[in-house]
Amino acid sequence: LFGRVAEGPLACLEVECRSSGAARCRFLLGSPEVLGRVYERIVEGADHRDALREQLSPFARAFWDEGCVSVPEGMELFAPNIDEAYES
């Protein structure tokens, strides 16, 4: 679904987990290259928010679901048209 909306390959990285004590599970979706760099920074000890901000371009967009609307600082809001994602 998200790959179709993004029109390209995506990687997924879990950055918060309820089973580890976080309030919710949180995942990042992005290009494999960007998430690879984010992961490297997290391994080095950076917070995932800071690591993501370091990778942002002026064209970065945040995706969300209606149950948890939040946009990281420096990102613009974007609501994908889910119907278009299922079109061939």
Side-chain angles (χ1 to χ4, degrees):
L1 170 70
F2 290 111
R4 286 186 176 190
V5 172
E7 298 180 351
L10 291 176
C12 181
L13 177 64
E14 184 176 19
V15 294
E16 294 179 20
C17 181
R18 288 187 69 187
S19 65
S20 296
R24 70 182 72 71
C25 293
R26 184 171 297 211
F27 298 85
L28 299 177
L29 293 174
S31 72
E33 297 80 16
V34 169
L35 286 190
R37 292 191 298 267
V38 169
Y39 176 77
E40 288 174 8
R41 292 288 294 126
I42 291 171
V43 169
E44 293 170 357
D47 180 79
H48 70 271
R49 292 170 205 88
D50 295 331
L52 182 59
R53 268 190 220 102
E54 292 170 5
Q55 303 304 317
L56 290 179
S57 75
F59 306 105
R61 298 183 292 186
F63 294 87
W64 77 97
D65 66 48
E66 292 180 10
C68 181
V69 177
S70 66
V71 181
E73 183 179 327
M75 298 184 87
E76 70 179 64
L77 225 39
F78 175 74
N81 182 335
I82 299 302
D83 294 330
E84 288 178 3
Y86 288 104
E87 293 175 4
S88 296

